[in-house]
Amino acid sequence: MQVFAAGLFAFTSAPAHAQEPQGAVSGLAALLRGLDKVNGRTIDVEVPIGGTAEVLGLLVTVADCRYPAENPTGDAYAYLAVRSPRDGQIFFEGWMIASSPALNALDHNRYDVWVIRCKSK
């Protein structure tokens, strides 16, 4: 359990190696959509930066959510960690782009999670 806690602590800030596009602004929260592929149920969840929320059967932590400064409703991207609430198994950790969720997608047999947009206010 200590290894998991240390890994989660290290995740709480966005990675230093990530390159930020010119004019990108960090939002206050990320709006995520979850899909249960078995029964077709969807849910939208707003997760504050640095926060964790349950999205269907998964725990999702949002380290950062960024969007173009000149277009707050434009293409958002967020750094997420998606893990099991039972054993802490990490299913996904990395940047996810709202307009291209399949580019760097969650690989889970039952659930899907993707970024809709960042919240700026």
Side-chain angles (χ1 to χ4, degrees), residues 13-89:
S13 63
H17 66 273
Q19 298 238 340
E20 185 171 327
Q22 293 286 22
V25 177
S26 288
L28 302 174
L31 182 62
L32 309 175
R33 179 162 294 150
L35 168 68
D36 184 330
K37 295 185 252 185
V38 172
N39 60 25
R41 184 177 140 210
T42 62
I43 185 171
D44 288 353
V45 179
E46 185 177 316
V47 184
I49 302 304
T52 300
E54 185 171 344
V55 179
L56 299 169
L58 302 171
L59 291 177
V60 181
T61 302
V62 177
D64 201 359
C65 191
R66 299 176 186 174
Y67 59 91
E70 68 282 351
N71 183 8
T73 60
D75 195 20
Y77 55 103
Y79 195 88
L80 308 176
V82 182
R83 63 189 190 284
S84 168
R86 290 181 313 215
D87 59 8
Q89 177 186 0

